[in-house]
Amino acid sequence: MTAVHVVYAHPSPSSFTREVLDAFVSGLPSYTVSDLYASGFSPVMTAAEYAGAVPPDVRAEQELLDAADTWAFVYPVWWADCPAILKGWFDRVLTVGWAYKPMRLNVATRALVLCTAGHPTETLESSGVLPAMRTVMLTDRIGPRAHTASFHVLAGPDKATHLETAAALGRSLATRPG
């Protein structure tokens, strides 16, 4: 079994993105979730943090990542990217000396991105938005911090299929050896 930590970013508890999160974790025997909006996570890096201070909320997030061998990021696509709160989470949590220069974090075995989008995948692909989102998330933000990473866009109106996809991804983690 795999230890999974999910970073979730959507402000509405009744959103489709929340349904995706619930479907994803439904087959996992244990997991942790950082619900960034519900917890009031501040996405704004302070001058002290920029200078190297690591505040308790950031240290707590780093500890959750270090304790998991699989990371998942669940969020909606807004303006061709993740919500600002998640971008700020990356800015604040992937600190110098922990996530890079040098990298001391426990490298994840696997990272998954599950994002919801109103536009069909074909539209996102042909416009260049999907390749750009995939590159930013998998290459820059996750990069060498996970041995493997996958990007799943649940786009367009077929919500039932998207929920089954999310549930199947979660179930696949529950049956993988740690």
Side-chain angles (χ1 to χ4, degrees), residues 58-94:
V58 169
R59 180 74 63 215
E61 291 295 313
Q62 292 173 340
E63 289 171 1
L64 287 166
L65 292 174
D66 270 339
D69 49 19
T70 298
W71 304 340
F73 300 91
V74 180
Y75 61 89
V77 174
W78 290 346
W79 293 102
D81 200 356
C82 62
I85 197 168
L86 181 56
K87 169 60 170 78
W89 181 93
F90 281 105
D91 289 347
R92 292 187 64 219
V93 173
L94 300 186

Coordinates of all heavy atoms in Angstrom, one line a residue, residues 58-94:
V58 N 4.3 26.0 6.7 CA 5.1 25.5 5.6 C 5.8 24.2 6.1 O 5.8 23.2 5.3 CB 6.2 26.5 5.1 CG1 7.2 25.9 4.2 CG2 5.4 27.7 4.4
R59 N 6.4 24.2 7.3 CA 7.1 23.0 7.8 C 6.1 21.9 7.9 O 6.4 20.7 7.5 CB 7.7 23.3 9.1 CG 8.4 22.2 9.8 CD 9.7 21.8 9.2 NE 10.7 22.9 9.3 CZ 11.6 23.2 8.4 NH1 11.8 22.5 7.4 NH2 12.4 24.2 8.6
A60 N 4.9 22.1 8.3 CA 3.8 21.1 8.4 C 3.5 20.5 7.0 O 3.4 19.3 6.9 CB 2.6 21.7 9.0
E61 N 3.4 21.3 6.0 CA 3.2 20.8 4.6 C 4.4 20.0 4.2 O 4.2 18.9 3.6 CB 3.0 22.0 3.6 CG 1.7 22.7 3.9 CD 0.5 21.8 3.6 OE1 0.4 21.1 2.6 OE2 -0.5 21.8 4.4
Q62 N 5.6 20.4 4.5 CA 6.8 19.7 4.1 C 6.8 18.3 4.8 O 7.2 17.3 4.1 CB 8.1 20.4 4.4 CG 8.2 21.7 3.5 CD 9.4 22.6 4.0 OE1 9.9 22.5 5.1 NE2 9.8 23.4 3.1
E63 N 6.4 18.3 6.0 CA 6.4 17.0 6.7 C 5.3 16.0 6.2 O 5.6 14.8 6.1 CB 6.1 17.2 8.2 CG 7.3 17.9 8.9 CD 7.0 18.3 10.3 OE1 5.9 18.2 10.8 OE2 7.9 18.9 11.0
L64 N 4.2 16.6 5.7 CA 3.2 15.7 5.1 C 3.7 15.1 3.8 O 3.5 14.0 3.5 CB 1.9 16.5 4.8 CG 1.1 16.8 6.1 CD1 0.0 17.9 5.8 CD2 0.4 15.6 6.6
L65 N 4.4 15.9 3.0 CA 5.0 15.4 1.8 C 6.1 14.4 2.1 O 6.1 13.4 1.4 CB 5.6 16.6 0.9 CG 4.6 17.6 0.4 CD1 5.3 18.7 -0.3 CD2 3.7 16.9 -0.6
D66 N 6.9 14.7 3.0 CA 8.0 13.7 3.4 C 7.4 12.4 3.9 O 8.1 11.3 3.7 CB 8.9 14.3 4.4 CG 10.1 15.1 3.8 OD1 10.4 14.8 2.7 OD2 10.7 15.9 4.6
A67 N 6.3 12.4 4.5 CA 5.7 11.2 5.0 C 5.0 10.3 4.0 O 4.6 9.2 4.2 CB 4.7 11.5 6.2
A68 N 4.8 10.9 2.8 CA 4.0 10.2 1.7 C 5.0 9.8 0.6 O 5.9 10.4 0.3 CB 2.9 11.1 1.2
D69 N 4.7 8.6 0.0 CA 5.4 8.3 -1.1 C 4.7 8.6 -2.4 O 5.3 8.5 -3.5 CB 5.9 6.8 -1.1 CG 4.9 5.8 -0.8 OD1 3.7 6.1 -0.9 OD2 5.2 4.7 -0.4
T70 N 3.5 9.0 -2.3 CA 2.7 9.4 -3.5 C 2.1 10.8 -3.2 O 1.5 10.9 -2.1 CB 1.6 8.4 -3.9 OG1 2.2 7.2 -4.3 CG2 0.8 8.9 -5.1
W71 N 2.2 11.7 -4.1 CA 1.6 13.0 -3.9 C 0.5 13.2 -5.0 O 0.7 12.7 -6.2 CB 2.6 14.1 -4.1 CG 3.8 14.1 -3.3 CD1 3.9 13.4 -2.1 CD2 5.0 14.8 -3.5 NE1 5.2 13.7 -1.6 CE2 5.9 14.5 -2.4 CE3 5.5 15.6 -4.5 CZ2 7.1 15.0 -2.3 CZ3 6.7 16.1 -4.4 CH2 7.6 15.8 -3.3
A72 N -0.6 13.8 -4.7 CA -1.6 14.1 -5.7 C -2.0 15.6 -5.5 O -2.1 16.1 -4.4 CB -2.8 13.2 -5.5
F73 N -2.3 16.2 -6.6 CA -2.7 17.6 -6.7 C -4.0 17.6 -7.4 O -4.1 17.2 -8.5 CB -1.7 18.5 -7.4 CG -0.3 18.4 -6.7 CD1 0.6 17.5 -7.1 CD2 0.0 19.3 -5.7 CE1 1.9 17.4 -6.5 CE2 1.2 19.2 -5.0 CZ 2.2 18.3 -5.4
V74 N -5.1 18.1 -6.7 CA -6.4 18.1 -7.3 C -6.9 19.6 -7.3 O -7.0 20.2 -6.2 CB -7.4 17.2 -6.5 CG1 -8.8 17.3 -7.1 CG2 -6.8 15.8 -6.4
Y75 N -7.2 20.1 -8.5 CA -7.6 21.5 -8.6 C -8.3 21.8 -9.9 O -8.2 21.0 -10.8 CB -6.4 22.4 -8.5 CG -5.4 22.2 -9.6 CD1 -5.4 22.8 -10.8 CD2 -4.3 21.2 -9.4 CE1 -4.5 22.6 -11.8 CE2 -3.4 21.0 -10.4 CZ -3.5 21.7 -11.6 OH -2.6 21.5 -12.6
P76 N -9.0 22.9 -10.0 CA -9.6 23.3 -11.3 C -8.6 24.1 -12.1 O -7.7 24.7 -11.6 CB -10.8 24.2 -10.8 CG -10.3 24.9 -9.6 CD -9.4 23.8 -8.9
V77 N -8.8 24.1 -13.4 CA -8.0 24.9 -14.3 C -8.7 26.3 -14.3 O -9.8 26.4 -14.7 CB -8.0 24.3 -15.7 CG1 -7.2 25.3 -16.6 CG2 -7.3 23.0 -15.7
W78 N -7.9 27.3 -13.9 CA -8.4 28.7 -14.0 C -7.3 29.5 -14.7 O -6.1 29.5 -14.4 CB -8.5 29.3 -12.6 CG -9.7 28.7 -11.8 CD1 -10.7 28.0 -12.3 CD2 -9.9 28.9 -10.4 NE1 -11.6 27.6 -11.3 CE2 -11.2 28.2 -10.1 CE3 -9.3 29.5 -9.4 CZ2 -11.7 28.2 -8.8 CZ3 -9.8 29.5 -8.1 CH2 -11.0 28.8 -7.9
W79 N -7.7 30.1 -15.8 CA -6.8 30.9 -16.6 C -5.6 30.1 -17.0 O -4.4 30.6 -16.8 CB -6.4 32.2 -15.9 CG -7.6 33.2 -15.8 CD1 -8.4 33.4 -14.7 CD2 -8.2 34.0 -16.8 NE1 -9.4 34.3 -15.0 CE2 -9.3 34.6 -16.3 CE3 -7.9 34.2 -18.2 CZ2 -10.1 35.5 -17.0 CZ3 -8.7 35.0 -18.9 CH2 -9.7 35.7 -18.3
A80 N -5.8 28.9 -17.5 CA -4.7 28.1 -18.0 C -3.7 27.6 -16.9 O -2.6 27.3 -17.2 CB -4.0 28.7 -19.2
D81 N -4.1 27.6 -15.7 CA -3.2 27.2 -14.6 C -4.0 26.8 -13.4 O -5.2 26.8 -13.4 CB -2.3 28.4 -14.2 CG -1.0 28.0 -13.5 OD1 -0.8 26.8 -13.2 OD2 -0.1 28.8 -13.2
C82 N -3.3 26.5 -12.3 CA -4.0 26.2 -11.0 C -4.4 27.4 -10.3 O -3.9 28.5 -10.7 CB -3.0 25.4 -10.2 SG -1.5 26.3 -9.7
P83 N -5.3 27.4 -9.4 CA -5.7 28.5 -8.6 C -4.4 29.2 -7.9 O -3.5 28.5 -7.6 CB -6.7 28.0 -7.6 CG -7.2 26.8 -8.2 CD -6.1 26.2 -9.0
A84 N -4.5 30.5 -7.7 CA -3.4 31.2 -7.1 C -3.0 30.6 -5.8 O -1.8 30.6 -5.4 CB -3.8 32.7 -7.0
I85 N -3.9 30.1 -5.0 CA -3.6 29.6 -3.7 C -2.6 28.4 -3.8 O -1.7 28.2 -3.0 CB -4.8 29.2 -2.9 CG1 -4.5 29.0 -1.4 CG2 -5.5 28.0 -3.4 CD1 -5.7 29.0 -0.5
L86 N -2.8 27.6 -4.9 CA -1.9 26.4 -5.1 C -0.6 26.9 -5.6 O 0.5 26.4 -5.2 CB -2.6 25.4 -6.0 CG -1.7 24.1 -6.3 CD1 -1.3 23.4 -5.0 CD2 -2.5 23.2 -7.2
K87 N -0.6 27.9 -6.5 CA 0.7 28.4 -7.0 C 1.5 29.0 -5.8 O 2.7 28.7 -5.7 CB 0.4 29.5 -8.0 CG 1.7 30.4 -8.4 CD 2.8 29.5 -9.0 CE 3.9 30.4 -9.6 NZ 4.8 31.0 -8.6
G88 N 0.8 29.7 -4.9 CA 1.5 30.2 -3.7 C 2.0 29.1 -2.8 O 3.0 29.2 -2.1
W89 N 1.2 27.9 -2.8 CA 1.7 26.8 -2.0 C 3.0 26.3 -2.5 O 3.9 26.0 -1.7 CB 0.6 25.7 -2.1 CG 0.9 24.4 -1.3 CD1 0.6 24.1 0.0 CD2 1.7 23.3 -1.7 NE1 1.0 22.9 0.4 CE2 1.7 22.4 -0.7 CE3 2.3 23.0 -3.0 CZ2 2.4 21.1 -0.8 CZ3 2.9 21.8 -3.1 CH2 3.0 20.9 -2.0
F90 N 3.1 26.2 -3.8 CA 4.4 25.7 -4.4 C 5.5 26.8 -4.1 O 6.6 26.4 -3.7 CB 4.3 25.6 -6.0 CG 3.7 24.3 -6.4 CD1 2.4 24.3 -6.9 CD2 4.3 23.1 -6.3 CE1 1.8 23.1 -7.3 CE2 3.8 21.9 -6.7 CZ 2.5 21.9 -7.2
D91 N 5.2 28.0 -4.2 CA 6.2 29.1 -3.9 C 6.7 29.0 -2.5 O 7.9 29.1 -2.2 CB 5.6 30.5 -4.1 CG 5.3 30.9 -5.5 OD1 5.8 30.2 -6.4 OD2 4.6 31.9 -5.7
R92 N 5.8 28.7 -1.5 CA 6.1 28.7 -0.1 C 6.7 27.4 0.4 O 7.6 27.3 1.2 CB 4.9 29.1 0.7 CG 4.5 30.6 0.5 CD 3.4 31.0 1.5 NE 3.9 30.9 2.9 CZ 3.2 30.5 3.9 NH1 2.0 30.1 3.8 NH2 3.7 30.5 5.1
V93 N 6.1 26.3 -0.1 CA 6.5 25.0 0.4 C 7.7 24.4 -0.2 O 8.5 23.7 0.5 CB 5.3 24.0 0.3 CG1 5.7 22.6 0.7 CG2 4.1 24.5 1.2
L94 N 7.9 24.6 -1.5 CA 9.1 24.0 -2.1 C 10.3 25.0 -2.0 O 10.7 25.6 -2.9 CB 8.8 23.7 -3.6 CG 7.7 22.7 -3.9 CD1 7.6 22.4 -5.3 CD2 7.9 21.4 -3.0

